[in-house]
């Protein structure tokens, strides 16, 4: 089995999504970022407006529109801390 990331997407009011993923993609103030297992630790500020995309094992992809917050990568996985996070509509594909 391929390595996977432990991912948590958390908004101010609630945990939005948590689980295993193959890759996480997000737009930060420094540019588009793709995180794979084994990525170096980092802390990035999410760009506004932004979108976080989570590629699940098997190919399915979840997309969330986010406002404000940070993306943290550590040995334990990826945590996205956003002010708001809502499922993206199919029409908003960035």
């Amino acid at each position: 089995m391929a390595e996977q990331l432990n991912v948590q997407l958390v908004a101010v009011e609630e945990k939005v999504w948590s689980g295993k993923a193959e890759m996480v993609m997000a737009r930060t103030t420094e540019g588009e970022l793709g995180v794979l297992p084994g990525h170096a630790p980092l802390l990035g500020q999410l760009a506004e407006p932004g979108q976080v995309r989570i590629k699940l094992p098997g190919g399915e992809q979840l997309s969330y529109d986010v406002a404000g917050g940070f993306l943290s990568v550590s040995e334990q996985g990826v945590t996205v801390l956003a002010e708001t996070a809502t499922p993206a509509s199919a029409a908003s594909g960035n």
Side-chain angles (χ1 to χ4, degrees):
M1 176 190 265
E3 254 187 277
Q4 295 180 359
L5 296 164
N6 292 310
V7 179
Q8 291 193 54
L9 177 58
V10 182
V12 172
E13 299 291 325
E14 64 182 331
K15 181 183 285 189
V16 178
W17 188 86
S18 178
K20 299 280 187 185
E22 292 181 353
M23 183 176 187
V24 176
M25 294 146 292
R27 192 165 60 93
T28 70
T29 56
E30 300 296 317
E32 188 76 18
L33 177 70
V35 179
L36 293 167
H39 196 288
L42 69 83
L43 179 64
Q45 183 177 359
L46 295 172
E48 291 190 63
Q51 192 174 78
V52 173
R53 296 178 310 281
I54 303 167
K55 184 177 177 190
L56 303 177
E60 183 183 353
Q61 182 171 289
L62 304 175
S63 296
Y64 292 90
D65 292 322
V66 296
F70 297 89
L71 176 133
S72 170
V73 180
S74 69
E75 289 181 8
Q76 289 74 38
V78 178
T79 303
V80 178
L81 302 169
E83 290 178 27
T84 63
T86 55
S89 65
S92 71
N94 286 1

